[in-house]
Amino acid sequence: YALSNKPEYKPFDPEVTAVHPYQDQAFQPVYFIAENFEDAKAKLQNYTMRIKKPFSLHYDPFTNSIEIMNTPQKVKKALCQMKEELKNLCLALENLS
């Protein structure tokens, strides 16, 4: 169905896609198309950055977890961890020079 001429194809725009009615009991009448995965990812990231919320999220690649940054202490802890990581990367770069 998705490859037929029956559905409508529109450019992927998260602001439009997010509010578009969804029916899961039939084929979708509209498909939102991105140029590629990177394009969709960038558009989605830009969209989510504009959503007003009383917190931020921080991804920890070491634990594969996401922490809600809703207190100054959590933000400070994340900044200290980043500072340590940057220090280690700078040392590694100096050792390679």
Side-chain angles (χ1 to χ4, degrees), residues 10-12 32-37 39-41 43:
K10 293 183 178 181
F12 177 64
F32 295 94
I33 310 298
E35 293 296 319
N36 53 50
F37 183 75
D39 175 59
K41 181 178 162 184
K43 287 179 180 178

Side-chain angles (χ1 to χ4, degrees), residues 1-94:
Y1 179 81
L3 298 176
S4 72
N5 62 354
K6 294 178 184 176
E8 181 181 354
Y9 303 101
K10 293 183 178 181
F12 177 64
D13 177 356
E15 289 187 37
V16 174
T17 306
V19 296
H20 193 272
Y22 174 74
Q23 172 56 259
D24 65 353
Q25 297 171 343
F27 290 118
Q28 297 300 302
V30 178
Y31 287 91
F32 295 94
I33 310 298
E35 293 296 319
N36 53 50
F37 183 75
E38 288 302 317
D39 175 59
K41 181 178 162 184
K43 287 179 180 178
L44 198 52
Q45 285 174 334
N46 289 335
Y47 172 72
T48 58
M49 293 299 286
R50 292 190 309 269
I51 296 173
K52 300 290 184 212
K53 53 193 178 294
F55 60 88
S56 293
L57 301 175
H58 176 257
Y59 174 69
D60 184 343
F62 301 110
T63 62
N64 284 331
S65 62
I66 297 174
E67 184 171 7
I68 298 172
M69 308 299 278
N70 56 358
T71 67
Q73 294 81 9
K74 288 182 179 182
V75 174
K76 187 175 180 180
K77 179 183 170 190
L79 283 171
C80 288
Q81 289 172 338
M82 284 183 194
K83 184 178 175 182
E84 272 303 305
E85 290 177 35
L86 284 172
K87 183 175 128 185
N88 290 335
L89 287 171
C90 287
L91 287 172
L93 187 58
E94 285 177 17

